[in-house]
Amino acid sequence: MQRSLYVGVLLLLAACAQNSNVPVPTSTTVQIERTSGEPRSQGDFSRVARRVEPVAETFCREEAPSAGRSYCDFQILLDTSPSSPPNAFQTLSRDGRPVLVLTSALLEEMRSDDEIALVLSHEAAHHVAQHLPKLQQSQAFGALIAGGIATALGGDAVTDDAIRDAMDLGAFVGVRTYSQQFEFEADWIGAFIAARAGYDPENGAQIFLRPSLQSGGGPTLLSTHPASPQRTALVSQAAREISQQQNAGLTPRP
């Protein structure tokens, strides 16, 4: 049961990703930064990842100063599997180290380093905000409540299969009830991480407007991500807040 809950949460954050092979970028050559509007390459990804990683780790340690060393030791990977759809997600390694993954298919949709930086910062923000354990708790709570209701309504006539079905549905709804809230929170925190790494989060949010990536039909109870215009508006609001803090001589913080 515990394993199935964990896998379910990972699939939600992965948004249907098929993570079959996730190699570490190993390019050590000097990469030339290209003009915005051109498709991004693996070299662009490696360069941006090297710049975002230490900033995300510093941000994480500021938010969790008493956490163990590995808690904020981010590993950023590129999934080059041709079967993986356009996607990015945060997960944990076997030893609990936070892992950020971006697929080559999503990288091909990107047109600026700002977009790479915002997406990686968004995934780092999921870890900073502890969304994985919160989703696990939400899923378990939804399952227990739904199972209890099924038992109470069915009395002695309710079957074990019916209770399990109710618990599965409760877990499904429990996770999705909070998924959009967590996406908004990750967008907001991610904007601050990207800005502190020297990137423009507002320009980075243009990735949400790619026709192939936009959330269709607006948010609903069973949607895992908010509508794209809402996300770009939120990042724009965060960018204004970041600018105000910087003008006041402050280190930007959410």
Side-chain angles (χ1 to χ4, degrees):
M1 179 68 172
Q2 183 65 28
R3 175 176 172 80
S4 64
L5 289 177
Y6 181 70
V7 170
V9 170
L10 290 187
L11 288 177
L12 173 65
L13 288 183
C16 303
Q18 297 294 323
N19 182 24
S20 57
N21 181 28
V22 189
V24 179
T26 57
S27 175
T28 57
T29 59
V30 176
Q31 300 295 332
I32 300 174
E33 190 164 349
R34 294 181 299 154
T35 305
S36 292
E38 298 178 0
R40 299 294 96 176
S41 68
Q42 183 170 341
D44 297 321
F45 168 81
S46 298
R47 184 185 62 254
V48 175
R50 286 194 298 269
R51 188 163 152 184
V52 169
E53 181 179 352
V55 176
E57 291 177 349
T58 297
F59 193 99
C60 177
R61 293 189 180 100
E62 291 173 357
E63 298 298 313
S66 61
R69 182 176 179 83
S70 64
Y71 181 80
C72 294
D73 186 14
F74 285 102
Q75 184 178 19
I76 302 179
L77 308 175
L78 182 67
D79 179 359
T80 59
S81 171
S83 63
S84 297
N87 198 18
F89 59 96
Q90 182 259 318
T91 186
L92 299 174
S93 65
R94 292 181 182 274
D95 59 359
R97 183 181 178 189
V99 181
L100 314 180
V101 182
L102 187 147
T103 67
S104 291
L106 179 57
L107 183 63
E108 292 172 0
E109 298 279 352
M110 295 177 164
R111 294 297 180 267
S112 72
D113 288 358
D114 295 321
E115 294 181 3
I116 301 174
L118 182 65
V119 170
L120 293 179
S121 298
H122 169 98
E123 299 308 327
H126 276 307
H127 180 70
V128 170
Q130 300 182 1
H131 287 162
L132 271 178
K134 289 178 181 178
L135 282 171
Q136 286 178 292
Q137 293 170 7
S138 175
Q139 188 176 34
F141 182 74
L144 289 174
I145 293 298
I149 292 174
T151 301
L153 293 178
D156 295 335
V158 69
T159 65
D160 289 342
D161 286 343
I163 294 175
R164 280 194 294 270
D165 288 344
M167 292 181 70
D168 287 343
L169 178 60
F172 181 84
V173 174
V175 168
R176 282 154 180 78
T177 298
Y178 293 97
S179 62
Q180 290 193 31
Q181 172 189 332
F182 291 159
E183 291 302 320
F184 280 133
E185 187 176 11
D187 285 341
W188 181 267
I189 296 173
F192 282 80
I193 296 174
R196 283 172 59 168
Y199 293 98
D200 180 349
E202 196 164 14
N203 187 51
Q206 295 303 303
I207 185 62
F208 299 143
L209 300 179
R210 295 284 179 274
S212 60
L213 301 177
Q214 287 192 52
S215 303
T220 65
L221 177 63
L222 300 183
S223 299
T224 59
H225 287 68
S228 298
Q230 291 179 288
R231 302 183 71 181
T232 55
L234 182 69
V235 173
S236 293
Q237 182 181 349
R240 290 191 293 271
E241 174 65 25
I242 290 166
S243 180
Q244 290 175 2
Q245 293 186 26
Q246 289 174 331
N247 291 337
L250 301 174
T251 299
R253 299 180 186 279

